[in-house]
Amino acid sequence: MGDNVRSNTFNGTSNRGTAPPPVSIATGNPNSAHRVPPVISQANRSRMQHKPPVTKQFQPVPYSEEEHAVIQERLNKVLGPEYVSFRPGGGGQNVSYIEGWKALNLANEIFGFNGWSSELISTEVDFLDLNHGRYSLGLSVVVRITIKDGTFHEDFGYGYIDNAKSKAGAFEKCKKEAFTDGLKRCLRCFGNVLGNCLYDKTIIAKMKKFKVDPPELDKSDFHRDPLILQRENIKQQSVRSSVPDGSKGTSGSNQQPAQAKRPMHHQEPKAKNNNNGTITPEPRDTHGIKNPESLAKTYDLADFDSFVFSDDMPDENELEDHDMNDGIEEYALNKNNGESDYSNTLSKASTPVTNDTNDKAGASKHNNNTNTSVPELVSFINAKLANILQKSPEEVSNLPSYNTRFVSNSIRRTVDPNKSVPIKRTEYSQRVHQTPPISKPTNDYNSATPLGNKRMIGMPPSQVPQSKRPHLESKASILPLLQTIGPYNEVAEEYEPDAAVEILNTAKILVIGAGGLGCEILKNLALTGFKNIDVIDMDTIDISNLNRQFLFRPKDIGKPKAEIAANFIRNRIRDDSLNINAIFGKIQDKPDSYYKSFDIVICGLDSVEARRWINATLVSFVDENLNNLIPLIDGGTEGFRGQSRVILPTITSCYECTLDMVTPKTTYPVCTIANTPRLPEHCIEWASVLEWPLKYPDHKFDADNVEDVEKMFELSSDRAKEFNIKGVTKQLTLGVVKNIIPAIASTNAIIASSCCNEAFKILTNINPILSNYMMYSGDDSIFTYTYSHSKKNNCSVCGNKTKKIQAKRWWTLSNLIDNVISKQEIQMNRPSISTSRMNLYLQKPEMLEEMTRPNLNRKLVEMVDIGEEIIVTDPNLPIYLKLIINEFNGPENEPNDINALLAT
Ligand SMILES: [Zn+2]
């Protein structure tokens, strides 16, 4: 750009004769624009980032002779001085150039906005150097401009930057610069008026003598945002009404009349006739902004436009503090003196469609109309009242206006924004010695508090160290939560903060499980201030628990989890009113009356079976009047994933409703384990299921015995070697034989927190509760997702318990039991089956099992009628199912061919 010596142009408008013959559009024949092969080598072409375009931008349309003559005449003209910019070049010389945006405007003017197109043919990075963290980049592009009749010119453009801070910034600058450069160089190939004349030194020398007045802009030149215009209108109206009569005029009274228009684009350049000025050449763009005072009149569209070409960017300090609106406003203020003139402009601007720009009389008429349509009163109302207003606009004077300072009671502020109160020395002096002194200067408000190294603003004044603080007083942090009556209290009028506080003292909470989740839950509940907590767990402490079950210490290994956990909490809280009660045992052993004594049950279990049991038990308590409804909160984690859910028995979906979402325990087919192992797990399973009983018939494998695990690992490793399988480790061996669920303390903390917050809200009723399932995912994608799982109609616990099934004619009772066991949504491992007429098969007691065992091989069709209710129970679950056989189909006898069996 701006380079006067262009020896390597590859299509010829150069006057120097070194380039190939010029491609002329003078003939008007599209075929004459033959393509000159580009300078860039084929090898380089293949490396280019942009593929050459395969389709033409538009089909060539030949110009008519008339059109052709007009275009040619325009192209032959020399650029008017207002188009030419100067900037200092090398050797103290001024370089003339045309700004990119002006070139575009010219092209649009000459060819029509739809009469030409530009393409980026290729881009090539010539060099990219990284030096001391700075990027230097040089980049060349090939640009093609095609006009309507198919004639095109190609030229290269170049962009470079030295020592740019960022790579992306360097590319951005260079690509834009190169493209603009290429575009301008292409355009100049079309003729003088598109820039070629700038290479004629005699013309330039003469042109420098012309002084071009900076263009005056008329409001009608702007394309304005209607919304902004409307606002300006309203604003100006109110300004006008507040200005006293004597001072209506604005400051810019020395400005030129409004008729002065931008000379660009609409006037033919008249360089020869305008030969009357002898002003010394400006070292800069003749449109340049020289001083702040001239800003108002020299504002150019380019200054308002962010689409300024990077290489033609005006200096930043020239544009300082003048953004688009400043300019327009200043312009408007300066341009008009009297009131009528002023609103004249406004009304014109507000009606861009009619655009009767220079007709003053017409505009004045307009003005009168506009005045009446702008409302005098501007005020705000809130959204609710806005609805009323839309229905009956005449209400406008009766409605209270919007109070911008209003703060809802439900929003609690710890700092009153309207008040500034000095903090007393006594409030912060106590902590001075605890905080290291801050060495940074105090005026750095980011690093130091206004008080320097003193107490942070907004922190409560420190009292006695926490460890010595009585538990009762520490509840102070929770009371504000309970004492605030907000819009989320279920029935705000009936909410009693005192009652909510009292709940902390009286509520009875059962925590099932004192493992990873249980430890967290117990800690949270006790620290929240709950006083009556029972914890039940049948497990003892294992060394592998210590990494996350933080209520236990190495000395506790082997002891009951529930008791140790309760002891720890008791010692930590040191509050005589805290009743924490531990039960070491199975939940199934406790009577109904025990469970009915609780207000809420929280589960932190790793057993599906125990969850199903407590779920079914709590659902069974609820009668039709919703008496004995005990909410159940269930948490669960596996590695980085977890979920918490609130079950309101018989109201929301229950645990059983979601049973099909539980990941089934991984099992491996015995034949694979025995014959064709492929995975390390297969080898371990083989060792534990098949090999161990053979090798150690008298010794049952104990996963907690280090020697046993070692032996199991050796067996598995040998098996793996035999089949060339890799990946058997001691860890994996333990994982497979114990079926260990991965667990991490942090995920337990997240889920336990959610469970305890829900318990707190359910009991105190201060905020809406979880409805009803929150899942947390922290591994491959990180999110929490809360949704309302709906009750299942055919849930075997809370829904219609009758399931309809289709049976085969050849089914024995044993086949029916297999079918029940295999159903994921039923998940009964040991079903007992009976009808109202007879016990078909009972798992317990032993005597009845023996009596009913022969039925297993009898045909079902002989024992049960279609539509007859079959009751299915499981001794491990307090639930039952009703099955109804819809239909018997298939062959009479069991197909012995496996394919036929599958086909049925
Ligand atoms: Zn259910």
Side-chain angles (χ1 to χ4, degrees):
M1 18 153 265
D3 180 2
N4 270 330
V5 184
R6 305 203 168 198
S7 56
N8 53 351
T9 49
F10 50 79
N11 53 17
T13 45
S14 165
N15 294 331
R16 296 167 200 279
T18 53
V23 177
S24 169
I25 64 162
T27 60
N29 178 359
N31 298 328
S32 70
H34 60 275
R35 170 90 186 270
V36 181
V39 177
I40 298 169
S41 73
Q42 201 55 44
N44 278 346
R45 278 239 163 191
S46 62
R47 275 191 272 123
M48 284 162 186
Q49 293 161 9
H50 293 267
K51 281 184 239 151
V54 281
T55 52
K56 292 208 164 170
Q57 299 299 307
F58 43 70
Q59 288 299 314
V61 181
Y63 289 112
S64 69
E65 283 204 7
E66 205 176 314
E67 283 172 330
H68 181 255
V70 169
I71 289 176
Q72 189 60 68
E73 194 203 334
R74 285 181 180 173
L75 285 174
N76 286 343
K77 287 197 167 149
V78 172
L79 271 180
E82 65 269 34
Y83 286 100
V84 183
S85 306
F86 295 92
R87 63 182 171 82
Q93 286 208 319
N94 274 323
V95 176
S96 61
Y97 67 101
I98 178 168
E99 288 180 70
W101 65 273
K102 287 180 184 170
L104 286 190
N105 277 341
L106 278 171
N108 280 335
E109 191 184 325
I110 291 162
F111 301 125
F113 75 92
N114 55 356
W116 68 287
S117 73
S118 61
E119 293 161 74
L120 182 63
I121 302 296
S122 67
T123 309
E124 186 168 19
V125 175
D126 293 327
F127 64 90
L128 173 62
D129 299 329
L130 178 60
N131 237 336
H132 299 106
R134 301 274 177 150
Y135 296 90
S136 294
L137 173 67
L139 177 147
S140 54
V141 299
V142 175
V143 178
R144 176 193 294 180
I145 286 181
T146 312
I147 60 171
K148 196 170 118 183
D149 68 353
T151 308
F152 65 84
H153 287 288
E154 283 187 357
D155 208 326
F156 81 101
Y158 199 73
Y160 69 94
I161 190 167
D162 286 326
N163 298 323
K165 277 184 197 161
S166 96
K167 199 170 175 179
F171 270 98
E172 185 190 5
K173 194 248 181 194
C174 292
K175 283 201 171 179
K176 286 178 175 174
E177 184 177 302
F179 186 77
T180 311
D181 186 36
L183 200 71
K184 289 195 290 186
R185 290 174 58 98
C186 276
L187 283 173
R188 81 175 180 102
C189 296
F190 285 95
N192 270 345
V193 83
L194 284 170
N196 204 37
C197 64
L198 298 180
Y199 297 86
D200 188 331
K201 292 228 162 73
T202 54
I203 293 179
I204 292 301
K206 284 181 183 167
M207 199 178 289
K208 283 178 179 171
K209 295 178 182 168
F210 289 106
K211 151 105 180 166
V212 179
D213 283 332
E216 281 295 332
L217 289 183
D218 191 277
K219 271 271 174 178
S220 62
D221 288 341
F222 293 120
H223 175 79
R224 301 294 310 279
D225 182 324
L227 188 66
I228 290 180
L229 268 187
Q230 197 186 341
R231 285 184 189 155
E232 273 178 15
N233 238 345
I234 291 167
K235 190 173 149 196
Q236 302 296 357
Q237 286 283 347
S238 58
V239 167
R240 201 163 52 107
S241 59
S242 67
V243 172
D245 271 20
S247 58
K248 267 181 203 159
T250 48
S251 57
S253 53
N254 57 345
Q255 295 302 309
Q256 295 176 8
Q259 275 82 358
K261 290 245 331 176
R262 257 180 109 182
M264 287 178 54
H265 312 311
H266 307 293
Q267 297 172 342
E268 292 289 0
K270 288 176 185 172
K272 283 166 196 165
N273 302 338
N274 252 349
N275 198 358
N276 53 358
T278 51
I279 313 270
T280 46
E282 295 277 344
R284 300 193 59 89
D285 180 353
T286 48
H287 291 168
I289 299 152
K290 283 153 247 148
N291 55 58
E293 280 147 37
S294 68
L295 261 175
K297 33 178 190 170
T298 58
Y299 252 97
D300 199 300
L301 270 177
D303 301 331
F304 302 143
D305 192 351
S306 63
F307 183 57
V308 178
F309 293 109
S310 54
D311 55 345
D312 299 326
M313 208 49 122
D315 281 356
E316 273 172 31
N317 45 12
E318 286 176 351
L319 287 175
E320 207 175 14
D321 292 338
H322 290 272
D323 64 15
M324 179 169 177
N325 286 331
D326 280 352
I328 290 167
E329 221 169 291
E330 205 170 336
Y331 171 78
L333 288 169
N334 287 335
K335 188 168 163 289
N336 302 281
N337 303 329
E339 182 186 322
S340 68
D341 231 334
Y342 190 55
S343 41
N344 172 18
T345 316
L346 287 170
S347 70
K348 273 198 283 177
S350 66
T351 54
V353 183
T354 49
N355 216 1
D356 48 349
T357 46
N358 286 327
D359 181 2
K360 273 210 151 191
S364 298
K365 280 182 219 152
H366 231 84
N367 176 26
N368 296 335
N369 297 338
T370 318
N371 267 346
T372 53
S373 67
V374 176
E376 286 298 325
L377 174 73
V378 179
S379 65
F380 294 92
I381 55 172
N382 66 27
K384 217 175 189 175
L385 297 177
N387 281 334
I388 301 173
L389 194 59
Q390 278 175 355
K391 280 176 199 144
S392 43
E394 66 278 1
E395 287 286 302
V396 67
S397 54
N398 301 329
L399 296 176
S401 68
Y402 178 67
N403 178 5
T404 51
R405 311 200 90 178
F406 174 77
V407 178
S408 162
N409 285 333
S410 65
I411 302 170
R412 273 180 43 78
R413 287 183 189 271
T414 51
V415 177
D416 182 355
N418 298 317
K419 244 197 255 174
S420 164
V421 184
I423 294 176
K424 288 178 196 148
R425 178 171 290 274
T426 51
E427 279 180 15
Y428 60 83
S429 59
Q430 297 166 350
R431 281 174 63 104
V432 168
H433 63 281
Q434 293 180 5
T435 326
I438 292 160
S439 56
K440 286 205 173 178
T442 46
N443 60 2
D444 182 358
Y445 55 83
N446 285 321
S447 64
T449 68
L451 296 171
N453 55 3
K454 311 299 187 324
R455 183 173 70 86
M456 298 287 284
I457 298 278
M459 295 296 285
S462 176
Q463 301 157 352
V464 192
Q466 177 129 25
S467 57
K468 289 183 188 166
R469 222 188 270 172
H471 179 65
L472 272 178
E473 281 182 28
S474 70
K475 213 159 67 181
S477 64
I478 289 165
L479 295 182
L481 274 179
L482 296 174
Q483 283 161 348
T484 305
I485 303 174
Y488 295 121
N489 293 114
E490 210 77 304
V491 189
E493 311 86 69
E494 290 174 16
Y495 179 77
E496 289 174 40
D498 291 344
V501 175
E502 188 54 26
I503 284 284
L504 294 176
N505 298 323
T506 57
K508 270 196 86 181
I509 304 177
L510 174 64
V511 177
I512 301 180
L517 280 169
C519 284
E520 293 275 356
I521 292 169
L522 287 171
K523 173 260 290 178
N524 289 344
L525 293 178
L527 290 178
T528 305
F530 286 105
K531 294 294 162 62
N532 302 290
I533 305 166
D534 267 29
V535 52
I536 179 166
D537 197 307
M538 59 181 277
D539 256 358
T540 54
I541 296 160
D542 183 75
I543 187 166
S544 66
N545 301 145
L546 298 185
N547 69 338
R548 60 192 186 281
Q549 298 175 16
F550 55 91
L551 301 179
F552 312 138
R553 300 291 175 269
K555 65 176 165 61
D556 302 324
I557 289 171
K559 293 178 188 163
K561 285 185 176 179
E563 286 170 12
I564 300 298
N567 278 339
F568 191 103
I569 297 284
R570 229 176 265 126
N571 291 335
R572 173 65 178 76
I573 302 292
R574 290 189 190 191
D575 176 5
D576 291 339
S577 61
L578 171 66
N579 277 310
I580 184 156
N581 192 17
I583 292 118
F584 175 41
K586 287 182 74 173
I587 50 171
Q588 288 88 344
D589 295 342
K590 286 277 169 186
D592 283 359
S593 57
Y594 175 72
Y595 293 104
K596 280 183 181 168
S597 70
F598 291 98
D599 295 298
I600 199 164
V601 176
I602 308 178
C603 280
L605 284 164
D606 57 2
S607 148
V608 172
E609 206 158 77
R611 284 187 175 107
R612 292 178 75 187
W613 190 88
I614 188 68
N615 174 67
T617 303
L618 294 183
V619 171
S620 73
F621 289 169
V622 186
D623 63 19
E624 56 269 32
N625 298 321
L626 298 182
N627 294 318
N628 296 320
L629 191 150
I630 302 166
L632 171 66
I633 299 172
D634 180 53
T637 68
E638 182 171 346
F640 287 108
R641 293 162 171 269
Q643 88 275 332
S644 65
R645 54 187 304 194
V646 171
I647 295 168
L648 304 176
T650 71
I651 296 177
T652 68
S653 83
C654 73
Y655 186 78
E656 202 78 15
C657 291
T658 56
L659 208 56
D660 51 358
M661 290 163 67
V662 175
T663 326
K665 193 192 159 198
T666 319
T667 53
Y668 305 101
V670 176
C671 58
T672 305
I673 296 169
N675 305 315
T676 54
R678 296 182 311 276
L679 302 170
E681 287 89 346
H682 293 158
C683 302
I684 300 164
E685 199 84 342
W686 171 86
S688 73
V689 174
L690 301 174
E691 194 62 10
W692 187 276
L694 290 177
K695 207 156 188 188
Y696 310 102
D698 303 327
H699 180 64
K700 200 172 169 254
F701 174 73
D702 178 6
D704 294 328
N705 182 328
V706 182
E707 275 176 36
D708 278 13
V709 173
E710 190 67 37
K711 282 178 193 164
M712 187 68 84
F713 171 60
E714 275 167 25
L715 284 178
S716 310
S717 299
D718 292 346
R719 176 79 168 171
K721 251 178 235 160
E722 194 184 323
F723 285 89
N724 203 15
I725 294 168
K726 291 196 168 63
V728 173
T729 61
K730 215 173 281 182
Q731 202 66 33
L732 186 70
T733 307
L734 205 55
V736 171
V737 296
K738 283 184 97 174
N739 190 29
I740 291 172
I741 300 167
I744 182 165
S746 44
T747 310
N748 283 340
I750 293 170
I751 297 302
S753 303
S754 165
C755 291
C756 292
N757 279 353
E758 293 313 313
F760 185 79
K761 290 189 289 179
I762 289 171
L763 291 170
T764 59
N765 192 27
I766 49 167
N767 282 112
I769 59 173
L770 170 66
S771 173
N772 50 30
Y773 200 116
M774 186 275 285
M775 52 187 288
Y776 165 77
S777 167
D779 44 16
D780 55 345
S781 51
I782 320 303
F783 63 94
T784 63
Y785 179 63
T786 301
Y787 70 104
S788 186
H789 190 282
S790 14
K791 255 176 101 165
K792 233 184 189 174
N793 272 339
N794 59 354
C795 172
S796 50
V797 170
C798 70
N800 173 7
K801 295 173 184 176
T802 309
K803 283 189 199 303
K804 293 181 176 171
I805 59 168
Q806 294 202 335
K808 303 293 173 197
R809 284 197 187 87
W810 51 266
W811 272 12
T812 59
L813 180 60
S814 173
N815 290 124
L816 176 71
I817 290 173
D818 286 349
N819 185 275
V820 169
I821 292 173
S822 69
K823 285 235 156 63
Q824 174 77 7
E825 73 272 16
I826 301 176
Q827 286 198 15
M828 283 191 178
N829 295 325
R830 301 175 59 200
S832 296
I833 311 257
S834 56
T835 65
S836 56
R837 288 182 291 160
M838 63 189 286
N839 290 328
L840 296 178
Y841 179 71
L842 298 183
Q843 305 263 6
K844 268 181 180 177
E846 241 170 77
M847 196 183 72
L848 280 177
E849 198 275 335
E850 233 166 82
M851 278 174 61
T852 52
R853 201 183 299 158
N855 285 342
L856 288 175
N857 293 322
R858 284 179 65 193
K859 284 259 186 78
L860 195 60
V861 72
E862 292 165 9
M863 297 184 286
V864 185
D865 293 334
I866 287 176
E868 188 177 356
E869 268 187 5
I870 304 169
I871 308 294
V872 186
T873 56
D874 187 315
N876 292 328
L877 296 168
I879 61 169
Y880 69 95
L881 266 181
K882 286 179 193 166
L883 294 183
I884 287 177
I885 291 174
N886 256 353
E887 187 190 357
F888 284 108
N889 59 23
E892 293 291 331
N893 294 308
E894 181 177 359
N896 21 8
D897 175 11
I898 185 78
N899 290 323
L901 190 63
L902 289 173
T904 63

